[in-house]
């Protein structure tokens, strides 16, 4: 299939572009490089020995999209493009609603998703954030969404899912699959591509990595008084290559209208366990201290993965230790990300 990958130069996008090529698909990447570097695409070309069609465009720019669709026959869209920082979304809610909603709306309008029976299949990057604070664990797709979301970023994912559902009602032929990612970690095992954090990371895995690399002095564990076995928060850390392969599996799935599917491992890992897995992978002592709970954080979240297995015939294969080892390989080979090497 020829697959339009928006945000394909970013962290998850670049790994998915690689997985698409390995599975024999043809990616066409659109990215405005607002949070990425063209170097990631060059690196994927190097690993796959394949040249990649790349367009430096904003996905909110409908004219640019129209021009692209007039020249290309696109079979499916994987829509990663968007802003992704929970903390930043609280400080800049309008920028988040603007970019994350308008990029999705532009794409849907340009492909006439609400009326054209031949509109390309649409795979959307959603997030476990839509569940807010889940009542039942592991959290399955039938759990309530939209209630208890603690930040504008989470609302953008929830609203985009609602938009996709309504568009599917208007056009029964339209296939929209919202993949609800849990917590991506790791990098391609080559250490050639990975997560390029230009600023101090908010997410736990890149933060620990940068402490291990000596770029940050100490890692703060947010809360040691949760009702969990070791008192620290629990998440479902999924290797980015497993996540990438989940997208390839979703391309092969024919949904009847809208479908939301969790992409996680099904296993919860505490912050202390993650820290210890990183120490083992890097063979280093990584200094940490306990700090107050971070505002808006939930205690525990991990995925019920039965639906992904049933519908996509997909399961995660890699462990948290694999993720830590691969993240560390990327970090140690590329101390400044794609910037300077
Ligand atoms: P990323 O920032 O590395 O990638 C996003 C890419 O989109 C970047 O390359 C950026 O330049 C591009 N982009 C942003 N706005 C754009 C626009 N208007 N037009 C064109 N390009 C634009 O983020 P990521 O971690 O790879 O996340 C990809 C998607 O997955 C995002 O939608 C994110 O919200 C979602 N997601 C990420 C996580 C996570 O923890 N990383 C978890 C759940 C969901
Ligand atoms: N966390 C932490 N220190 C950090 C960043 C995160 O202890 O510097 C914890 C956080 O409280 C949560 C887990 O790590 O329990 C995952 O946080 P992250 O921001 O990576 O993902 P999210 O909260 O969005 O699931």
């Amino acid at each position: 299939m020829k697959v339009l990958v928006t945000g394909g130069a970013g962290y998850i996008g670049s790994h998915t572009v690689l997985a698409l090529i390995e599975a024999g698909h043809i990616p066409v990447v659109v990215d405005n490089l607002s949070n990425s570097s063209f170097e990631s695409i060059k690196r994927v070309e190097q690993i796959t020995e394949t040249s990649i069609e790349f367009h430096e465009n904003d996905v909110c720019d409908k004219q640019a999209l129209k021009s692209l669709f007039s020249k290309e026959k696109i079979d499916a869209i994987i829509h990663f493009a968007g802003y992704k920082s929970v903390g930043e979304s609280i400080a800049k809610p309008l920028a988040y609603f603007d970019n994350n909603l308008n990029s999705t709306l532009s794409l849907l309008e340009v492909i006439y998703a609400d009326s054209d029976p031949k509109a390309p299949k649409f795979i959307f990057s959603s997030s476990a954030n839509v569940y807010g604070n889940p009542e039942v664990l592991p959290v399955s797709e039938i759990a309530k969404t939209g209630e208890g979301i603690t930040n504008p970023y989470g609302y953008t994912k929830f609203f985009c899912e609602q938009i996709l559902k309504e568009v599917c009602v208007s056009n029964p032929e339209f296939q929209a699959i919202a993949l609800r990612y849990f917590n991506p970690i790791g990098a391609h095992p080559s250490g050639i591509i990975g997560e390029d954090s230009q600023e101090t990371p908010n997410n736990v895995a890149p933060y620990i990595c940068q402490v291990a690399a000596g770029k940050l002095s100490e890692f703060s564990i947010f809360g040691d008084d949760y009702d969990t076995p070791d008192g620290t928060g629990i998440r479902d850390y999924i290797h980015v290559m497993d996540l990438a392969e989940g997208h390839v599996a979703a391309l092969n799935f024919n949904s009847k209208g809208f479908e939301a599917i969790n992409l996680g491992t099904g296993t919860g890992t505490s912050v202390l366990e993650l820290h210890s897995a990183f120490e083992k992978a890097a063979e280093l002592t990584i200094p940490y201290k306990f700090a107050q709970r971070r505002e808006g954080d939930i205690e525990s979240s991990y995925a019920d993965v039965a639906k992904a297995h049933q519908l996509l015939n997909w399961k995660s294969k890699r462990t948290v230790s694999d993720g830590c080892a691969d993240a560390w390989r990327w970090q140690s080979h590329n101390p400044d990300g794609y910037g300077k090497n």
Side-chain angles (χ1 to χ4, degrees):
M1 287 189 212
K2 195 174 244 195
V3 185
L4 181 71
V5 185
T6 76
Y11 172 44
I12 306 170
S14 55
H15 289 80
T16 303
V17 167
L18 193 156
L20 286 169
I21 295 171
E22 283 179 344
H25 298 293
I26 304 166
V28 175
V29 176
V30 178
D31 199 304
N32 64 3
L33 304 181
S34 58
N35 194 38
S36 54
S37 151
F38 181 62
E39 180 64 20
S40 66
I41 297 294
K42 288 204 259 177
R43 302 274 185 103
V44 177
E45 289 184 325
Q46 179 195 330
I47 299 168
T48 57
E49 297 179 352
T50 304
S51 136
I52 297 169
E53 183 178 334
F54 177 81
H55 301 268
E56 186 175 341
N57 282 125
D58 195 308
V59 182
C60 301
D61 179 348
K62 280 187 235 167
Q63 279 316 320
L65 287 181
K66 275 185 186 153
S67 150
L68 196 151
F69 277 96
S70 69
K71 292 183 205 129
E72 311 257 6
K73 163 86 183 72
I74 300 290
D75 301 301
I77 298 172
I78 306 182
H79 178 36
F80 292 107
Y83 296 150
K84 67 159 175 179
S85 163
V86 167
E88 189 183 52
S89 79
I90 296 168
K92 299 180 183 169
L94 294 180
Y96 271 69
F97 287 122
D98 182 15
N99 194 35
N100 292 7
L101 295 183
N102 281 321
S103 59
T104 305
L105 287 169
S106 297
L107 280 165
L108 293 172
E109 278 176 42
V110 167
I111 61 171
Y112 300 101
D114 57 358
S115 56
D116 184 351
K118 294 203 167 61
K121 178 183 291 184
F122 197 91
I123 298 175
F124 174 65
S125 289
S126 190
S127 162
N129 237 286
V130 299
Y131 295 118
N133 195 353
E135 281 169 10
V136 180
L137 291 172
V139 57
S140 92
E141 293 83 351
I142 56 166
K144 272 189 300 214
T145 57
E147 274 178 38
I149 293 176
T150 51
N151 53 77
Y153 166 76
Y155 278 112
T156 68
K157 296 296 176 191
F158 173 68
F159 293 151
C160 283
E161 285 199 5
Q162 294 303 313
I163 292 167
L164 292 172
K165 273 184 205 168
E166 298 304 335
V167 170
C168 286
V169 170
S170 72
N171 178 1
E173 303 296 319
F174 186 55
Q175 298 187 42
I177 304 166
L179 297 177
R180 294 179 178 159
Y181 314 153
F182 282 68
N183 293 58
I185 60 164
H188 187 260
S190 62
I192 295 173
I193 59 168
E195 184 166 15
D196 185 18
S197 307
Q198 291 306 337
E199 288 159 18
T200 304
N202 293 310
N203 290 119
V204 63
Y207 201 104
I208 297 178
C209 238
Q210 294 207 8
V211 177
K215 294 182 83 180
L216 296 167
S217 60
E218 192 177 41
F219 162 58
S220 293
I221 297 184
F222 298 142
D224 63 353
D225 56 352
Y226 284 112
D227 187 13
T228 60
D230 65 22
T232 67
I234 289 181
R235 296 290 184 276
D236 185 338
Y237 297 99
I238 174 164
H239 196 292
V240 67
M241 285 311 301
D242 279 329
L243 202 57
E245 287 161 14
H247 290 76
V248 177
L251 277 182
N252 299 328
F253 168 62
N254 283 320
S255 75
K256 292 190 181 67
F258 177 84
E259 203 73 69
I261 305 176
N262 288 341
L263 292 186
T265 67
T267 303
T269 300
S270 75
V271 182
L272 271 172
E273 287 169 335
L274 183 72
H275 169 265
S276 146
F278 251 104
E279 284 195 327
K280 282 204 190 91
E283 297 177 344
L284 285 169
T285 299
I286 303 174
Y288 73 90
K289 66 169 184 214
F290 288 112
Q292 293 218 322
R293 291 181 179 192
R294 183 172 62 180
E295 206 181 324
D297 267 2
I298 58 170
E299 183 168 279
S300 297
S301 170
Y302 50 95
D304 182 329
V305 293
K307 189 170 177 184
H309 189 215
Q310 193 193 344
L311 296 188
L312 308 183
N313 194 22
W314 169 92
K315 259 186 186 172
S316 67
K317 294 189 285 216
R318 297 150 180 101
T319 63
V320 167
S321 298
D322 295 334
C324 294
D326 292 335
W328 179 240
R329 192 174 302 107
W330 152 255
Q331 173 70 50
S332 44
H333 291 184
N334 304 269
D336 294 305
Y338 293 119
K340 289 177 251 139
N341 295 288

